[in-house]
Every structure is written in C-alpha cells, then in structure tokens.
Amino acid sequence: MTALSHIWEQAAYGPGPIRDCWWNQSVTPGDWPALTGEARTQVAVIGAGYTGLSAALHLAEAGAQVTVLEAEHPFWGASGRNGGFCCLGGAKADHAAIARRFGDAQARAFARTERAAVELVDALITRLGLDVDRHSEGETQLAHRPRDARALRASIPHIRDLYGVTPTYLSRAELAAAGLGGPFHGALTTPLGFALNPRKYAAGLARAARDKGAVIHGQSTVTHIGRDSGGYVLHTAQGRLHAERLILATNGYSAETLPPWMAGRYLPTQSSVIVTRPMTGAELAAQGWTTRQMCYDTRHLLHYFRLMPDNRMLFGMRGGLAHTPRAETAIKAKIRADFDAMFPAWRTIETPHYWSGFVCISRDLLPYAGPIPGMEGAFTGFAWHGNGVAMGSHAGAILADLALGRAPEGPWPAPLRHLPRRFPLGRFRRLLMRPAYLGYALADL
C-alpha cells in the first residue's frame, strides 16, 4: 500500500485545530462505522464533506448504489469548521481574468454557475427540511479604505449585469443606522446568499444521503487506489471496497499520492476563526453592530464576520503559514488583535472558541469538477477558494451526473472544467505563500 503524503505538518490533519471549534457544540459526529472486510458498490466516494455528501445524495436519489469512505467522520474537514457563508464565489480569479482566458460568454456562464450553486443549497435545505440556523439576506462587503468604497459603488452595474440582481450601497454616513458600526467607509450588499451553521447543513446532507440508501463509513482512510477487472479497489486499514466508478472529494485535505495525478495541483492554505461568548443587547449597542448580515471586507487577506442568531460574533481571517505551536500562538494573537482593532468596544469580550482549517486553491485560481485524466470512470472536484458551501455542493451534483454517465443537469462552464495545472516547487509549493501573503499585505495598506 502507498502511504499518504501531505504537504503540511501532520498536526494540521489531527484533532488539535478543531478542539475548541464552536460548531462542535452544535452537532455531534454521529455513528458512522468503519469499513471492514470486502464490499462492493457502483460508485465509491472518498471524502464526506459538502462535495462528497452532495454527490452521494444525488447518486442515491438517482437509484445508484453509492458508498462513501471518510478518514475521520463526515464533515470533519473544512465542511464542519468553515465560517458558514453560502455565497457567490468559487474562484479567486475575477471576471475580467476569466473572460481573458475563456471569453466573455464562458465568464458569464461561470457567474451564472455561482448563482446556481447558491440556489442549489437553498433548494436542498428547503427540500430536505434542514434546520441550519439560517440568517442574512445576501452578503455585505465593507470598504476598509475610501477608494474601496468608490470601487464598490462603481461595481453596481457590473454585478447587476452578471448576476441579475441590484446591490444596495451604503455610504459611510449611513452605516451606523444599518447596524454596521466599525471603521468602514462604505458597504455593498448583494442580495444573493445567506449564512448558516455549516455543520448542521453537512450533517443534514449526510443523514439525507443515508436515508436514500447511501452507505457512509467513518474512520476509513483510503491508503491506496488499485484496479481490478470491475473498476477500482479502495484499500483501508480494515477492508477493501470494489467500485465501478470513483469520485475523489477531499479538497484541501487531499494527499499527493491519492491518486498521483493530484500531486501539486492543489494548495491548502489555513483559515482561522474565533467566536465570542453570547453578547447582551447593551454590548452590541456599544459597538453599534446589530446587523445579522454576513460580511467581509475589501482586503486581499480579507476578514469575514457575522453576528449569529445567539448574539455570538464569528470572526475569521487567513491563517498562519505553518501549523506549529509557535505559529498557532502567533496567528491566534493576530486574529484577536484584528478583531479588537475592528470592534474596539468588544475588547473585553471573551472569545473562548478558536479553530483553524484548510481552504484549497489552485494555480489558476479556478475550481475544478470533472474527470481525472488517465483514470477512466474516476472524477474529482476541488479548489473552492473559500466558498465550498455553495460551489462544493454544486460540484457534488455535477460529479454525480458524470459518474452516472450523463451530462450534468446544472451549469458546468469551461472555467469549472479546465484542468488545473501543477504549482511550481512540487511538495515545497507552500513556500510560494510567503511572498504572496507579503504582497497582499502591502496591497492592503
């Protein structure tokens, strides 16, 4: 068997980063027994996050036999520890860059796909009757410099043209009345998307997939992908799963050797989150922040934040460049310092919950959902660039259709089908992050 090969320190893949995760207290992992012995299935899925669970649900609803193998338990990775933003996105490349590469028609098709991804999650929540602590009417971007405010206002016709909705702009003078008290110079709200409890959504997908007949195994790390006359053989510590077709849905928690084609095509980057204790009405009023909108600022190394239904404030940002005790101590201090600078009235408010996890990016700054070259009947989806709630769910539906041998029902534009190139430096590609982060930090000044 081939040993798994990760490019971050092993501690980043263990229990430490989510020990104090707030979402842990809202959803228990559940009972997902490990694969033991020999088993057979029509479609095997590796990874039980949004992409894998969405694929499993859509496959099971289509009448296919599907088995999911997860190294820990469902939603253990990014799907159970993100900020809970179901919003437009999926690519780090902007519309202009996508249009230069694929043409205006395909760039517009990708924008329609972003909206379709949000609408798919909305439809799943409604159809499955999921309680996900939903709030926020669209998403709000806040300008941290005057010139950013001018750029936000100027973007209104572009957003209207691309997404078919009209954003609402607030000047700096109007922010306080909207409950957006902070050091901001303007705000733009695009009425697409909503906030949710990410674990409740993922757990709902897992239960729904199981109810429809999908078999989901936890504690079943796939250590090797082999072949036999019927297709693929997935090896775990305690069993083997034979499958006609395969979907790989491991995103930022992928390994260089599973399969070797993945090596160098994805880059996990850390994101860190803190959550306060519940705050009183007087404490919210002291800061002037009373909105339930999910928000993010205009920095390249952005902050994302929202006041949750129980009056806890969630605040996230890009994490450290290493996962060592020293680096984690530093980033934990940094995120608290940024929080205090943005919300000075809450300097004494405790933040008992801190955690981190991986965001996955690609060299071309585009997501991918499609076939794995050289592996007939095998498909993968990854690189959601921090927007996996929507785009990962949408990709799961696409991969399910592909595994069934049919054209995807949802939009599947060229930017989503484009094969990701490998990063330079191979296993050492994390070194590329330091100059990139430095450049972003300078641009954010």
Side-chain angles (χ1 to χ4, degrees):
M1 292 188 181
T2 304
L4 294 184
S5 177
H6 293 125
I7 69 168
W8 278 75
E9 294 86 359
Q10 198 55 39
Y13 303 91
I18 54 170
R19 183 182 59 247
D20 297 320
C21 179
W22 164 241
W23 309 125
N24 293 351
Q25 302 188 20
S26 63
V27 178
T28 58
D31 184 22
W32 308 94
L35 171 71
T36 57
E38 301 278 335
R40 295 188 176 273
T41 191
Q42 183 180 355
V43 183
V45 179
I46 304 176
Y50 298 133
T51 304
L53 293 172
S54 174
L57 173 62
H58 285 91
L59 284 164
E61 289 184 329
Q65 185 184 28
V66 55
T67 302
V68 182
L69 300 181
E70 165 60 44
E72 299 291 339
H73 62 72
F75 52 82
W76 179 87
S79 297
R81 64 179 82 181
N82 64 81
F85 284 49
C86 180
C87 56
L88 300 173
K92 179 70 172 173
D94 62 17
H95 176 78
I98 296 173
R100 284 194 298 271
R101 183 158 197 170
F102 299 97
D104 186 66
Q106 285 298 317
R108 288 177 177 275
F110 184 78
R112 291 193 296 272
T113 303
E114 293 178 68
R115 179 167 179 169
V118 172
E119 291 170 345
L120 172 66
V121 177
D122 182 27
L124 285 172
I125 290 169
T126 301
R127 179 164 64 85
L128 301 174
L130 304 183
D131 176 9
V132 296
D133 301 336
R134 177 173 173 164
H135 63 96
S136 185
E137 299 300 323
E139 59 179 335
T140 300
Q141 188 173 20
L142 294 154
H144 88 284
R145 296 173 298 195
R147 70 170 183 261
D148 295 340
R150 293 190 293 270
L152 287 179
R153 190 165 199 167
S155 72
I156 291 175
H158 178 68
I159 294 172
R160 184 190 298 122
D161 180 45
L162 275 187
Y163 299 107
V165 297
T166 300
T168 301
Y169 178 78
L170 295 175
S171 68
R172 184 174 186 177
E174 297 171 308
L175 295 180
L180 292 160
F184 310 112
H185 298 270
L188 188 71
T189 297
T190 301
L192 290 172
F194 50 90
L196 47 65
N197 179 317
R199 273 204 173 201
K200 286 188 176 182
Y201 170 56
L205 290 181
R207 291 193 302 268
R210 182 169 60 184
D211 290 346
K212 292 294 183 179
V215 177
I216 303 176
H217 292 289
Q219 306 302 316
S220 299
T221 302
V222 177
T223 56
H224 176 66
I225 301 173
R227 298 297 300 265
D228 66 8
S229 58
Y232 293 94
V233 185
L234 308 185
H235 297 254
T236 73
Q238 301 179 64
R240 294 192 301 177
L241 177 65
H242 301 258
E244 299 170 20
R245 297 199 168 192
L246 170 66
I247 292 174
L248 180 71
T250 48
N251 200 32
Y253 290 83
S254 296
E256 299 287 270
T257 51
L258 201 73
W261 179 83
M262 286 293 294
R265 299 186 194 274
Y266 64 99
L267 177 58
T269 64
Q270 288 197 130
S271 189
S272 297
V273 180
I274 56 174
V275 168
T276 70
R277 62 161 170 80
M279 290 184 281
T280 66
E283 288 168 332
L284 299 181
Q287 177 57 47
W289 189 277
T290 56
T291 180
R292 302 288 174 178
Q293 283 295 107
M294 58 181 183
C295 300
Y296 65 106
D297 61 25
T298 52
R299 292 174 171 87
H300 293 281
L301 296 174
L302 60 83
H303 300 95
Y304 53 94
F305 41 94
R306 60 186 175 97
L307 184 64
M308 296 193 288
D310 64 353
N311 286 350
R312 297 176 189 269
M313 190 68 166
L314 178 149
F315 185 86
M317 60 180 284
R318 289 293 173 260
L321 296 173
H323 196 93
T324 62
R326 181 178 179 179
E328 281 296 284
T329 297
I331 198 65
K332 189 173 182 179
K334 170 63 174 169
I335 193 172
R336 180 67 213 217
D338 284 13
F339 177 82
D340 290 346
M342 192 174 291
F343 305 110
W346 294 340
R347 287 180 181 272
T348 61
I349 301 296
E350 300 88 351
T351 49
H353 303 284
Y354 165 84
W355 67 93
S356 64
F358 287 137
V359 170
C360 184
I361 67 175
S362 72
R363 180 176 177 180
D364 297 308
L365 305 181
L366 295 169
Y368 178 68
I372 301 176
M375 296 179 66
E376 183 179 358
F379 311 90
T380 188
F382 61 95
W384 315 131
H385 298 87
N387 289 280
V389 176
M391 193 58 73
S393 299
H394 178 74
I398 289 173
L399 297 175
D401 282 332
L402 294 175
L404 291 170
R406 64 192 190 192
E409 182 177 336
W412 189 37
L416 190 54
R417 301 194 307 268
H418 176 72
L419 284 172
R421 295 180 297 159
R422 285 193 165 99
F423 283 93
L425 305 183
R427 286 187 47 79
F428 302 101
R429 60 191 180 275
R430 282 172 55 197
L431 295 173
L432 300 169
M433 294 165 55
R434 190 170 298 279
Y437 276 33
L438 178 60
Y440 287 146
L442 292 173
D444 286 337
L445 292 177

